[in-house]
Amino acid sequence: MEKKVMQTYLYDFYGDLLTERQRKIYEEFVLDDLSLTEIAQEEGISRQGVYDLVKRCDKLLEGYEEKLQLLSRFLKNKEKILRIQSLARGCQELDVAQRMAEIEAISNEILEEL
């Protein structure tokens, strides 16, 4: 998965666990796509300071994911739901019974994880 996309997902799931200052700078870098230099000038700190803060936030967010696995469970369930949708669209074909069995199996997997 692309790094910016992963950073965005991690921020969506765990961003509230960062301090207000960390959130502000991380949002500017990841979500608003400002450069390190632009953020440094706006915040009145060095470019290196911004870089270090962003890297620290990355490590914190990755650590939360490593322990809690909320994002990975979300992505797995998203894949399963997309598969269910695909199977449901195909129910207009002749193999309805097989597709319904697959939908039920995938649904059961999701329910077991909840």
Side-chain angles (χ1 to χ4, degrees), residues 80-81 83-88 91 95-113:
K80 290 174 185 175
I81 291 168
R83 179 74 177 131
I84 287 171
Q85 288 177 334
S86 172
L87 290 167
C91 281
D95 60 349
V96 173
Q98 178 186 350
R99 289 184 183 271
M100 292 306 291
E102 288 181 55
I103 288 171
E104 185 175 357
I106 295 169
S107 299
N108 287 335
E109 286 179 33
I110 293 171
L111 288 172
E112 287 174 13
E113 291 176 7

Side-chain angles (χ1 to χ4, degrees), residues 15-104:
D16 288 340
L17 301 173
L18 299 175
T19 67
E20 187 175 326
R21 184 163 193 267
Q22 288 172 325
R23 275 194 309 271
K24 182 180 185 307
I25 291 174
Y26 200 77
E27 281 180 13
E28 290 174 343
F29 182 73
V30 174
L31 304 179
D32 300 338
D33 206 28
L34 296 180
S35 71
L36 297 173
T37 303
E38 290 171 319
I39 298 168
Q41 288 173 349
E42 183 180 306
E43 295 296 319
I45 58 176
S46 69
R47 183 184 178 283
Q48 184 65 43
V50 174
Y51 175 82
D52 291 343
L53 190 139
V54 169
K55 288 299 164 200
R56 206 169 28 251
C57 288
D58 280 337
K59 286 189 184 242
L60 281 170
L61 298 173
E62 289 167 3
Y64 293 137
E65 173 59 15
E66 190 176 306
K67 290 178 180 112
L68 301 172
Q69 298 290 307
L70 297 177
L71 176 57
S72 70
R73 283 188 260 163
F74 168 79
L75 293 174
K76 285 178 192 173
N77 284 334
K78 183 178 177 184
E79 278 183 39
K80 290 174 185 175
I81 291 168
L82 290 172
R83 179 74 177 131
I84 287 171
Q85 288 177 334
S86 172
L87 290 167
R89 280 191 294 273
C91 281
Q92 298 167 349
E93 299 169 3
L94 297 177
D95 60 349
V96 173
Q98 178 186 350
R99 289 184 183 271
M100 292 306 291
E102 288 181 55
I103 288 171
E104 185 175 357

